[in-house]
Amino acid sequence: MRIDVVSIFPEYLDALRLSLVGKAIEAGTIDLRVHDLRAHTHDRHRTVDDTPYGGGPGMVMSPVPWGEALDQIRESDSEGTPRLVIPTPSGRRYDQTVATELSAHPWLVFACGRYEGIDSRVAEHYAAREDWDGVAEYSVGDYVLAGGEAAVLVMVESVARLLPGVLGNAESAQDDSFAAGDMADLLEGPVFTKPPEWRGLGIPDVLLSGHHARIAEWRREQARQRTETHRPDLLPD
Ligand code: SAM
């Protein structure tokens, strides 16, 4: 999968070179390319923002460098068709279903906004372009970040762990919270490892029983209880 990220803070994305995503990059499963939006400015101050039409506080990112940057990425490969992903608090809620959808795309381009966001004509223009595979705007939660970079770290990591061969044990994704399957509506319950006793706390007997059916039943019940406590909205009516 090819992933391009455009940002005014390209170093912010260095974290993607660590751990799981870093290994996927080294293995060639992910081709990550990070671009500095300011490379597409032409004034002495490398300006990427301007005052908002209609007035109001803050600045808006100009469509001009964005158009140049995105066109250059598009032109770098005449065969693939990139999908533009714009993180924004006003987008559709990003969740595991979206991560699964995105993991099926061979080429994603992430546009990291700053200030009051990116001029809305950028999304409109690339949505109408036939040489792009549409535009999707996602919010990683009901709060406002200073920029799209942290949201892109979240999205890329959640997409990467769904790609074949990225997780050491593919089955671990199947047991996760939000994973599709017979526990689809449930969060993952509590997990334990050695030592069997730590600071006076032991392990639930059933996990030491070796009885697989009873362990599975216990895990399901724990998952249900945890979901009821933390996220009752996930449970079916
Ligand atoms: N004025 C915008 C609004 O109220 O919708 C907020 C802009 S925010 C300060 C700057 C950038 O941070 C956004 O363009 C977006 O890229 C990113 N951002 C902030 N919160 C986000 C969230 N919850 N999900 C995804 N991206 C977010």
Side-chain angles (χ1 to χ4, degrees):
M1 166 184 260
R2 175 168 167 185
I3 295 177
D4 289 79
V5 185
V6 186
S7 163
I8 57 169
F9 296 115
E11 306 83 10
Y12 207 118
L13 286 310
D14 285 352
L16 289 175
R17 311 238 167 231
L18 303 171
S19 181
L20 197 99
V21 185
K23 281 194 189 131
I25 293 169
E26 272 173 32
T29 311
I30 294 176
D31 172 9
L32 177 72
R33 306 186 194 187
V34 179
H35 311 266
D36 185 355
L37 181 69
R38 291 196 198 276
H40 299 279
T41 57
H42 304 286
D43 64 317
R44 204 157 51 93
H45 300 290
R46 307 182 84 204
T47 311
V48 292
D49 59 330
D50 212 328
T51 51
Y53 276 116
M59 302 292 272
V60 174
M61 292 189 110
S62 162
V64 180
W66 277 108
E68 262 193 50
L70 296 173
D71 286 352
Q72 192 180 79
I73 291 170
R74 166 61 283 189
E75 284 157 18
S76 68
D77 178 351
S78 57
E79 287 179 11
T81 312
R83 181 163 182 73
L84 181 59
V85 180
I86 304 179
T88 164
S90 57
R92 172 182 164 197
R93 174 75 71 93
Y94 186 82
D95 59 16
Q96 191 69 11
T97 306
V98 177
T100 307
E101 281 165 20
L102 290 184
S103 70
H105 284 273
W107 187 2
L108 300 174
V109 179
F110 291 91
C112 300
R114 283 266 154 183
Y115 316 114
E116 292 308 316
I118 304 171
D119 186 308
S120 297
R121 289 171 293 181
V122 172
E124 193 182 335
H125 172 80
Y126 287 96
R129 287 262 298 255
E130 285 186 359
D131 56 346
W132 284 73
D133 185 14
V135 176
E137 297 179 276
Y138 297 118
S139 165
V140 291
D142 294 345
Y143 41 78
V144 179
L145 300 164
E149 291 78 6
V152 169
L153 295 181
V154 167
M155 294 193 239
V156 171
E157 190 161 306
S158 57
V159 166
R161 63 196 299 287
L162 295 172
L163 299 177
V166 169
L167 283 185
N169 179 354
E171 277 177 23
S172 64
Q174 289 164 20
D175 284 352
D176 283 338
S177 305
F178 313 115
D182 64 336
M183 304 263 273
D185 298 319
L186 303 179
L187 301 176
E188 189 175 77
V191 293
F192 303 91
T193 186
K194 296 177 191 69
E197 183 153 335
W198 180 76
R199 298 192 179 181
L201 300 171
I203 307 292
D205 287 342
V206 63
L207 296 181
L208 305 170
S209 69
H211 195 299
H212 297 301
R214 251 187 264 148
I215 291 173
E217 193 186 320
W218 180 87
R219 285 197 169 134
R220 168 170 272 285
E221 177 51 22
Q222 292 293 316
R224 196 198 57 73
Q225 282 179 24
R226 195 176 180 89
T227 310
E228 204 169 82
T229 308
H230 292 174
R231 294 290 306 278
D233 56 298
L234 293 175
L235 292 170
D237 295 339

